[in-house]
Amino acid sequence: MWLNPEEVLLKNALKLWVTERSNDFFLLQRRRGHGEPTGRFTGLLVGALDTVLDSNARVTPFRILLQVPGSQISWVIASGVAIEEVNKHWDWLIHNLLHSLSVFENKQDVASFVRGKVRGLIAEDARGRQAAQEEDPAKFREALLKFELHFGLPSSEKLVTYYSCCCWKGRVPRQGFLYLSINHMAFYSFLLGKEVKFVIPWADVMRLERVSSGLMTEAIRVNTRQRQREFSMFLNLEETFGVIGQLADISLRRLLDSEGLELDRVLQQPTRITKRVLEEQALREYVLALFRLPRSERLHEVASCSVWTPHARCHTAGTLYTTDSYLCFSSREEGNCILLIPLSEVLSIEKAESTSLLPNPVIVSIRTKKAFQLIELQERDELVENLNCRLRALQWKQSMFRNKKDGKRKVSSPTPYYTFYYDTGYSDEEEIEEQVLRNTINSEALMTAFHQNQPGTNGNKSTEQAKERLWDDHFSEFGRGVHMFRTEKIQRLVATGIPESLRGELWMTFSDASSELESHQGYYTSLVQKSMGQSSLATEEIERDLHRSLPDHPAFQNPTGIAALRRVLTAYAHRNPKIGYCQSMNILASVLLLYAKEEEAFWLLVAVCERMLPDYFNRRVIGAQVDQSVFEELIKERLPELAENVPDLSTLSSVSLSWFLTLFLSVLPFQSAVCVVDCFFFHGIKAIFQLGLAALEANAAHLSASTDDGQALMILTSFLDQVGSEESSCPPSSPPAAAAETSSSDNEIPAVRPTNITNLINDSYEKFGDLSVRQIERLRCRHRIQVLQAHEDTIKENTLRMVNQDVSISPENLADVYDLFKTEHFISLYWGDSSSAAAAEAAAWRYTDSGRSFIERQYRLDRPQFKSLYGLLAPWPGGANQHADTLANRTFTLLDQNQDNLVTFREFASWLDTLYCEELNEKIRLLYRLHIPPALTESEDDPSLMKSPLLSTNRPLYVNLPTDVEVEVKDYQEQLKQMLQDLVKEKEKDVEKPLPLMNQREFIQFCKTLYSMFHGNPEENDLFQAIATVTSLVLQIGEAGHRAHSSASEVSEAEPTQESAEDAGIVKTAEQDWTISFAQILASLLTEQALVNFFEKPVDLTVKISEAKEKQYHQRAGLLSLQQGNR
């Protein structure tokens, strides 16, 4: 174990120690006499000495010393009872420290550095390598106090964990502690009198890598937009890297795409995140991916056990995972044996008598009169009790559902009838026939009706029959249904292609869509009824794509197939409006309808979109892009020669996007593609990764020799088009369109030999089958960070491109202002109360179509956030803080043109551009507008109405955000009319209108603002004198105008009037008001050169932005801490 370094004056006093291993800085020594043959005098002497000493004074037989060349002093830094333990510490020192020590010029610094590192390891090791901080609260409280003291963040910034490590600055390591919180990673070091500390928000992390180069054997590299940091010498680098990746991924999903990506309920509440929660969440994500369970499933128990496998006639060791609705078993080697038992299939879970051969057995009986035996279960009693509790609750729920369903069945029509309202061009008779087809839910797969028309099927009946016999034999040995044993044998059967007669059944089994169907009887029927006749953007897109779905297949050249596809897609869009409808869903749904009944096809689509391909079909196709990025890394790892010859892999990975989105259906001949879908339902996304790698590996030589991206694309297209299957002896029925277009240029690319899909699939399993679900999930976690940040960069570029046309601020400064604007938004999400944080995130999304159709993410600030940025960037600080706060309030009111209590970046940039880049006239115009309505209100004199909290606690929710996803969608024509009206309003806004006149009260406020602006200026006296002169002049002009109005009013009063007394009083009051115009104020200000110089003096926005970056974070953190303390 590691020891707190202690000095040893005589390294080998009395010859008590024997040096086993050594180098310039470390010695590994053995206690003399330990492990030596008996009879040697020195060994007996030392042994006797150790025996005489009491137990507390006895020394361990092995130790490691730190030595400094040229010094007589050494330090004991580790000891152990066994040589294996000490060797482990020795290896760690050699691999992590030895190479780094050579950079120190002063050898005494070596001793200080190593002693500090060892103390850090002891502090970390005290908690236990795998222990969460809750198990050692005293140590964690101490670290928390240091974290708060060093970095000054609000108390709501929850610390998750911390690690001892080194941060590299060039070639010099800085020993310190890395603190990981819910929103930031922070590093602190105090070594040799030098303090180093910095904070990195997770929102700034672009990429995480494990690197090994130079002096560092292995380190964690954290890349941000500004720089990169490297951390090494962790006691457990694997664990640290995983926690950093998890926290960055969770934070970015919560901050950058809370509306699109699914995030567990616990992780949506940052204050509940602990290291233990992260470990549980990582395991839960793995289990959901391995068994492809619904995302709502919660993981309850994890237990090592063995399951009796009849086909192997032995017990198979592995792990049992229990969730809300499933018992899941996986063998120790992932994929060798998998068992999935839905609790809905279970009749009983009972304990059996324990014997020496069958310790702690549990019998699980299912409805098909089969039973599964589990043995070697630790804490069996508690596990069985919990399982039976969930089983009883599920059975009660099922019985209530059946009673309710039986009651409805008695009063409902036995034959449901559905009406769809779509405009058609049929005659009356044809329309009636079409209506009947639309209203009939198919009870059979489409392939049964159109089987005879498929080319190549008549000649392959014997092949199909042979496959069916093989599957029948497999069912008899391994079981049939969801709870069959899934082994390597079934993998080989799937690779050869599932027979058409069993394809729908096995797809339902592998995906467990059958359990969803059984537990939601009548759900699809009700969805079809609810979505009947509705019109939305989703239904418009569905109608447009209906005839593009497998257009060459006879089933979709027929109204029956088109109507079934329409019902499935429309019902799913109604079920999941967050996804609605995305392109490529039509291709998937059409293939599902060919081999499964209509209702089954719907549940298969649910399984694919919501479980098997998570986040694929949201508005930005994030999931597919993440897997595309993962695929690029797998190419570098698994096909290094190809990666070396093709430096830019972006082309190959971009081609793969359609592979992931359509499961190769859009690029392979139909019969071959269906075999890929078979593998996908059995192995999940792993099958697509493997097949993609196999396709690239088969063409590696041609791709390496390709001269451009176009040729590489042609090589892959030609290869995939030639992948045939045993079923299709003739050309494919629906070849990709690209094949026909490129046939003329075949002479430009190498000839491709036709490949059989079964051989390609087997090849992919043989060469890349070791790719595990756990590895894919870890890669997804890291690459999701890159994809989300890439989207964020694209949004920034689009926003800046649009705003840059309207302002004169330099592109560099505008980009920096955008970062400040965005950071202000994030600060509210970090440390604001839950209601304001939720409203801030809701306001960051732009919607149309009653909130259903996404346009883009757009950051907006509320009043407190704006006032914070105002104080950082306004060029005229002024000495009167209260008046500066008042001006900030007025500016926000002026910029909030649509009165939604939010300011967009375009509005903010326009205001900043006026202050820093516009001419004097525009600056005075802005000041003028700040002192007339709507910026200046009648209630402003009441200070209680103007005061607002440092952070809004009752921020209004964004008005366009839907509160009920089931709300009726407006008619599409009405939406178009509304869009036209909005365009007319925008044009009206562009027409510049004359400014209203300013009354006396408003002018006095205007003068107060000018006085506050000049406070602290070097030419303060001259400016005060100038403004006094201008004020006097403007008051005289106003008085002259007032007297002129009074004279005119006396003449008008002599004439009779037909108005009521009330109206006459209003007119009289308005005419008697003291007023002044903008032109008069501007002309008066121009008479004083001191004022002209003040407003025309250029202010360096770059310097202001630089100062704001330094102040923004900790200034806001201090204000928020103060506010939280006052609650």
Side-chain angles (χ1 to χ4, degrees), residues 568-569 572 585 588-589 592 601-610:
V568 169
L569 293 175
Y572 185 79
M585 285 174 64
L588 290 174
L592 299 177
F602 169 79
W603 286 110
L604 284 171
L605 184 64
V606 169
V608 171
C609 294
E610 299 177 12

Side-chain angles (χ1 to χ4, degrees), residues 997-1000 1038 1041-1043 1045-1046 1066-1076:
L997 298 178
M998 180 181 285
N999 62 32
Q1000 194 170 27
H1042 178 60
R1043 286 195 295 270
H1045 282 300
S1046 298
I1066 294 173
V1067 173
K1068 182 177 179 180
T1069 303
E1071 289 179 346
Q1072 289 179 353
D1073 274 347
W1074 183 100
T1075 58
I1076 195 76

Side-chain angles (χ1 to χ4, degrees), residues 413 421 509 625 815 820 1101:
S413 172
Y421 298 98
T509 295
Q625 293 184 53
L820 289 170
L1101 179 58

Side-chain angles (χ1 to χ4, degrees), residues 684-958:
I685 196 62
K686 171 185 172 181
I688 306 301
F689 280 118
Q690 291 176 178
L691 193 65
L693 291 171
L696 294 181
E697 196 262 351
N699 294 275
H702 296 327
L703 291 172
S704 299
S706 62
T707 56
D708 54 45
D709 296 344
Q711 188 177 7
L713 178 61
M714 293 281 291
I715 291 170
L716 287 175
T717 302
S718 177
F719 171 79
L720 294 173
D721 189 41
Q722 298 299 317
V723 176
S725 66
E726 297 176 0
E727 287 84 356
S728 55
S729 56
C730 59
S733 59
S734 56
E741 297 173 5
T742 59
S743 59
S744 61
S745 58
D746 283 347
N747 56 348
E748 300 177 6
I749 61 174
V752 178
R753 187 172 62 182
T755 304
N756 184 275
I757 186 62
T758 302
N759 295 336
L760 186 62
I761 291 174
N762 286 329
D763 199 37
S764 73
Y765 279 115
E766 181 181 343
K767 296 179 178 178
F768 309 107
D770 59 331
L771 181 64
S772 66
V773 172
R774 192 182 298 275
Q775 182 183 0
I776 292 174
E777 287 304 303
R778 287 175 178 171
L779 289 173
R780 278 175 164 177
C781 181
R782 281 174 41 209
H783 285 269
R784 192 181 295 111
I785 296 170
Q786 300 174 33
V787 171
L788 286 174
Q789 292 287 24
H791 275 274
E792 200 67 13
D793 289 342
T794 302
I795 292 172
K796 179 179 178 179
E797 291 171 5
N798 293 337
T799 303
L800 294 179
R801 184 170 57 251
M802 291 187 294
V803 174
N804 197 41
Q805 302 170 358
D806 303 330
V807 299
S808 302
I809 302 175
S810 68
E812 294 79 12
N813 282 342
L814 192 62
D816 288 339
V817 171
Y818 180 90
D819 291 337
L820 289 170
F821 195 88
K822 174 180 168 183
T823 300
E824 197 64 39
H825 169 81
F826 282 161
I827 287 174
S828 290
L829 297 182
Y830 294 159
W831 305 313
D833 59 78
S834 57
S835 60
S836 61
E841 183 61 7
W845 299 97
R846 294 179 56 203
Y847 292 87
T848 57
D849 185 21
S850 295
R852 290 178 179 271
S853 299
F854 165 79
I855 297 181
E856 67 176 0
R857 185 175 180 86
Q858 183 184 72
Y859 296 110
R860 309 176 186 203
L861 302 185
D862 69 350
R863 191 179 294 270
Q865 294 169 331
F866 174 82
K867 287 165 65 176
S868 175
L869 272 190
Y870 180 96
L872 291 170
L873 294 175
W876 306 311
N881 292 331
Q882 182 60 40
H883 196 73
D885 185 75
T886 301
L887 266 186
N889 274 303
R890 292 179 191 164
T891 305
F892 179 86
T893 304
L894 180 65
L895 296 180
D896 182 20
Q897 298 178 4
N898 57 358
Q899 298 182 348
D900 62 353
N901 290 324
L902 296 165
V903 169
T904 65
F905 178 71
R906 180 190 290 272
E907 294 166 342
F908 185 83
S910 175
W911 165 74
L912 211 59
D913 181 62
T914 302
L915 295 181
Y916 283 93
C917 302
E918 291 288 356
E919 297 179 353
L920 179 144
N921 292 13
E922 292 302 318
K923 294 178 182 178
I924 302 302
R925 177 185 291 272
L926 174 61
L927 283 174
Y928 185 92
R929 294 179 65 195
L930 290 176
H931 296 84
I932 60 175
L936 181 68
T937 61
E938 291 293 333
S939 60
E940 187 173 313
D941 292 334
D942 183 359
S944 63
L945 296 176
M946 283 307 300
K947 284 183 179 177
S948 58
L950 299 174
L951 182 71
S952 54
T953 58
N954 56 351
R955 186 202 312 263
L957 286 175
Y958 187 41

